Amino acid sequence: MAVRREIGSYPMWETYRSKREHLVVGLMSGTSLDGTDAALVHIQTDEHGAMQRLELVDFICTPYTNELREVLIRLCSPDTARVDELTTAHFGVSEWYAHSVQQLLQSAGISSRQVDMISMHGQTIWHAPVPVAFPSPPGIGNLNVSSTLQIGECAVVRERTGLPVIGNLRARDMAAGGEGAPLTPYADALMFRSAAEGRLVQNIGGIGNVTVLPAGSSEAEVSAFDTGPGNMLMDALVRHATGGRQHYDPNGSMAAKGNVNSELAEYCLNDEYFRRQPPKSTGREVYGVEYAKKLMAFAVTHSISLEDMLATATWLTAETIVRAVEDFVLPKTRISAMLTCGGGTSNDTLMNMLRQRLPEAIRLERTADHGVPDEAREAMGFALLGHEALMGRVNTLPGVTGAAHGVISGHLTL
């Protein structure tokens, strides 16, 4: 018969918590499906286990091949996903994660024996925070279920690297009634909040999400939500227009040749998500391939060029970011700076649109200006979430996700 043991009785937890310094690998592959980010971070804690310092030791990005990207794109749509491919990919992407860890440690000149553990986000395939009906057990009544799926088998990464792995970081928050997203605001609060000024941390990955950090805020005062599409829509339009030869608009150069089409812009903004009050989250199941097809059909009907379509999609990302701030943040919180990060920061056209539209009182900066490279922020954040879980500390913000209470989120593979 299996014997259940309390968390604190495992030697690993006892050893980990007794240390004041930790080396942790954070692994992140986002909804842009561009590759795997791996960050090696050095975390220092005080005598009570609270984080005092977070330092990036090294960071690498392993780009996905076109072949893998196409597999994942198929799996992210109910019309093209197959259960056999999904099962294979669940194990297959884990080999990519393990390879990224090995490359990271080689780059840093660090032995795996010096590393305490890996905290792995996995690859999101489907995120469904809005509950749907599901068959219920006898006597329960109506059952509505919210769900999320990040693929990547922790056991594979554990076997290949020899390191303990924490994964499945979104599930317990959802079990507690939350949306399971966004999670990195917990880390944003530790890395970026200021006693002197209110700040926003705006990530522009496949999806855009913002963390709101009021001046001198406590964890309970931090809020966050997904603003809408980030790079996802632009990338889908480019892939379709180039027959898969190109996967994104480098520096926004294609969009820069076009003009924002007012009819298409109005069509895009007529979306209830942008009006929905936070907490809220979204993903590829809403703004992925099917949404891009609707926009392309509209563009054909209204004779809108590819350049104008891309200019409008780029504008939509900037506009929905700023509208989210104006509608849901500024009425309650004074903000002095927006710190941007994610792949969207390399899109000059997008950043120019954002700068022009942002209220003058808000400085537009980058997380890199505050010691956290734009592309490394999420991987560093998930390293910190895994660390907090092993320290036995709540690592979610129920005020952000809408959960009934904070939880220690993550499954550990020893």
Side-chain angles (χ1 to χ4, degrees):
M1 184 175 67
V3 178
R4 296 187 62 183
R5 305 174 70 186
E6 294 300 321
I7 285 177
S9 67
Y10 283 102
M12 181 200 167
W13 269 284
E14 295 168 359
T15 302
Y16 192 90
R17 294 177 186 177
S18 68
K19 297 173 64 175
R20 297 282 293 274
E21 300 193 26
H22 306 83
L23 278 178
V24 178
V25 173
L27 284 176
M28 174 68 194
S29 49
T31 50
S32 290
L33 303 178
D34 50 1
T36 298
D37 296 333
L40 178 64
V41 299
H42 177 215
I43 301 173
Q44 292 178 297
T45 60
D46 63 19
E47 64 273 19
H48 304 295
M51 191 198 78
Q52 285 192 314
R53 188 162 181 258
L54 177 71
E55 177 188 9
L56 179 64
V57 178
D58 205 350
F59 172 81
I60 66 166
C61 178
T62 304
Y64 284 157
T65 60
N66 289 345
E67 182 181 13
L68 175 56
R69 188 180 291 110
E70 290 302 320
V71 168
L72 295 174
I73 289 172
R74 288 198 301 272
L75 293 178
C76 290
S77 170
D79 294 331
T80 55
R82 288 176 35 167
V83 68
D84 57 341
E85 285 193 342
L86 178 62
T87 304
T88 302
H90 176 50
F91 278 72
V93 295
S94 307
E95 302 287 357
W96 283 73
Y97 297 146
H99 174 75
S100 292
V101 172
Q102 291 159 352
Q103 294 298 112
L104 174 67
L105 299 185
Q106 181 178 340
S107 173
I110 295 289
S111 165
S112 62
R113 292 188 298 274
Q114 298 171 265
V115 178
D116 292 290
M117 63 100 174
I118 297 167
S119 182
M120 183 177 94
H121 172 264
Q123 180 65 63
T124 297
I125 295 298
W126 195 256
H127 183 64
V130 178
V132 297
F134 190 81
S136 62
I140 295 297
N142 294 332
L143 179 62
N144 294 298
V145 175
S146 57
S147 57
T148 191
L149 178 64
Q150 287 75 43
I151 63 172
E153 177 50 65
C154 293
V156 173
V157 180
R158 171 66 177 87
E159 283 296 313
R160 302 294 180 267
T161 65
L163 293 168
V165 181
I166 285 184
N168 202 20
L169 289 156
R170 299 190 184 275
R172 191 173 173 198
D173 180 83
M174 298 195 82
E179 297 215 354
L183 290 186
T184 50
Y186 179 91
D188 287 337
L190 294 176
M191 292 190 286
F192 300 113
R193 62 184 161 191
S194 164
E197 65 177 13
R199 293 175 174 174
L200 304 173
V201 181
Q202 178 67 53
N203 179 59
I204 311 175
I207 292 295
N209 47 69
V210 64
T211 301
V212 184
L213 304 171
S217 55
S218 65
E219 288 184 0
E221 294 171 309
V222 174
S223 61
F225 57 95
D226 289 351
T227 55
N231 306 311
M232 184 179 294
L233 179 57
M234 295 178 271
D235 294 349
L237 294 175
V238 170
R239 271 195 299 270
H240 183 270
T242 63
R245 294 186 303 276
Q246 193 168 316
H247 295 279
Y248 64 99
D249 183 8
N251 301 319
S253 56
M254 296 172 68
K257 297 175 183 178
N259 297 298
V260 176
N261 181 277
S262 59
E263 291 179 297
L264 182 57
E266 183 178 355
Y267 177 77
C268 291
L269 286 176
N270 188 26
D271 185 328
E272 75 80 28
Y273 183 81
F274 303 134
R275 298 185 293 276
R276 191 191 309 168
Q277 291 281 333
K280 59 180 180 176
S281 60
T282 189
R284 184 172 294 277
E285 63 287 343
V286 178
Y287 295 111
V289 173
E290 295 307 312
Y291 186 80
K293 287 179 179 178
K294 291 180 184 178
L295 266 58
M296 288 184 283
F298 185 97
V300 169
T301 303
H302 293 78
S303 301
I304 301 172
S305 68
L306 171 63
E307 289 78 10
D308 287 357
M309 188 165 48
L310 274 173
T312 307
T314 306
W315 170 89
L316 178 67
T317 293
E319 181 67 16
T320 52
I321 287 172
V322 175
R323 286 197 184 197
V325 171
E326 292 177 334
D327 292 347
F328 306 125
V329 179
L330 295 184
K332 298 179 287 187
T333 307
R334 183 175 181 178
I335 297 296
S336 299
M338 174 182 282
L339 284 53
T340 56
C341 53
T345 59
S346 64
N347 185 321
D348 294 337
T349 301
L350 172 60
M351 295 304 290
N352 287 335
M353 288 179 172
L354 189 56
R355 187 174 293 106
Q356 293 167 7
R357 183 66 177 79
L358 201 64
E360 290 185 6
I362 300 178
R363 306 188 312 274
L364 185 63
E365 301 175 346
R366 297 169 75 158
T367 58
D369 300 327
H370 297 261
V372 178
D374 304 342
E375 67 276 13
R377 170 252 183 184
E378 283 193 292
M380 291 176 67
F382 279 102
L384 184 54
L385 292 179
H387 163 80
E388 292 288 277
L390 275 187
M391 295 298 291
R393 300 166 70 91
V394 168
N395 60 356
T396 61
L397 298 174
V400 168
T401 65
H405 52 83
V407 298
I408 301 175
S409 191
H411 295 170
L412 177 62
T413 301
L414 292 170

